């Protein structure tokens, strides 16, 4: 039997506002939070994919800034995922996203504004630890 192996590329947003980080929980696993974003579509530019995902999930057009993290991990036995995490510059526009037009709101079980003292686990763990330590924004790209 032939087993397919595949790569999945994701792009995620780091949205900080007044010391809090915007994260989401998905209904399939609400034990931890992830940063908003999602899979790249075929032939889609990474930043365009992030823009599309954020508009679909949160209803706000993001101003995409610097690349802050690259995460590479195995997602099961046959899928390797690569994630690109970008700083979002217009974070103040995300304050009232529950009122925004969100075409893919069904993908999100909960939207969380997390402060560094919250016990919520943010994945990937390195991003969550850096946020809690006040080091999530950096002048260098960090590889996880």
């Amino acid at each position: 039997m032939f087993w397919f192996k595949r790569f999945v590329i994701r792009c995620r947003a780091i949205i900080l506002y007044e010391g809090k980080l915007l994260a989401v929980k998905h209904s399939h696993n609400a034990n931890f939070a992830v940063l908003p974003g999602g899979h790249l579509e075929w032939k889609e530019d990474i930043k365009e994919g992030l823009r599309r995902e954020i508009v679909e999930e949160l209803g706000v057009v993001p101003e995409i800034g610097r690349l802050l993290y690259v995460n590479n991990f195995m997602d099961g036995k046959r899928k390797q995922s690569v994630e690109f995490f970008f700083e979002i510059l217009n974070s103040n526009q995300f304050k009232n996203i529950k009122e925004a037009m969100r075409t893919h709101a069904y993908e999100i079980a909960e939207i969380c504004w997390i402060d560094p003292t919250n016990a919520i686990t943010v994945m990937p763990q390195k991003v969550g630890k850096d946020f809690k330590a006040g080091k999530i924004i950096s002048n260098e790209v960090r590889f996880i």
Side-chain angles (χ1 to χ4, degrees):
M1 182 176 239
F2 184 73
W3 295 102
F4 288 97
K5 295 179 183 176
R6 65 184 188 139
F7 283 96
V8 173
I9 300 171
R10 294 183 178 101
C11 25
R12 300 209 177 269
I14 295 178
I15 304 170
L16 294 168
Y17 182 72
E18 295 183 347
K20 295 183 180 182
L21 176 66
L22 190 143
V24 298
K25 291 184 178 183
H26 293 116
S27 55
H28 66 273
N29 192 342
N31 294 328
F32 58 86
V34 297
L35 301 182
H39 295 88
L40 211 58
E41 292 181 358
W42 183 250
K43 295 186 178 183
E44 190 172 41
D45 175 81
I46 291 171
K47 286 186 176 182
E48 286 303 315
L50 178 58
R51 186 172 287 107
R52 176 187 51 76
E53 285 286 345
I54 297 304
V55 169
E56 288 174 355
E57 292 180 0
L58 302 177
V60 177
V61 177
E63 291 177 25
I64 301 170
R66 297 174 291 161
L67 176 65
L68 298 175
Y69 292 89
V70 176
N71 184 29
N72 182 17
F73 66 98
M74 292 302 296
D75 191 359
K77 291 182 179 180
R78 292 180 206 59
K79 183 167 59 170
Q80 182 173 352
S81 292
V82 178
E83 296 178 307
F84 296 90
F85 294 78
F86 289 90
E87 175 183 26
I88 300 302
L89 303 174
N90 60 328
S91 59
N92 63 324
Q93 294 181 8
F94 290 82
K95 292 184 296 189
N96 299 313
I97 52 178
K98 292 180 181 177
E99 300 166 9
M101 176 61 180
R102 300 169 28 218
T103 60
H104 287 60
Y106 61 89
E107 295 178 355
I108 297 173
E110 182 181 353
I111 297 170
C112 316
W113 281 102
I114 301 170
D115 75 36
T117 62
N118 284 124
I120 297 171
T121 300
V122 176
M123 297 299 280
Q125 290 180 347
K126 172 68 172 154
V127 174
K129 286 179 184 178
D130 283 354
F131 169 65
K132 290 181 184 292
K135 299 177 182 178
I136 197 167
I137 301 297
S138 172
N139 288 326
E140 63 179 292
V141 176
R142 286 158 287 177
F143 295 88
I144 303 171

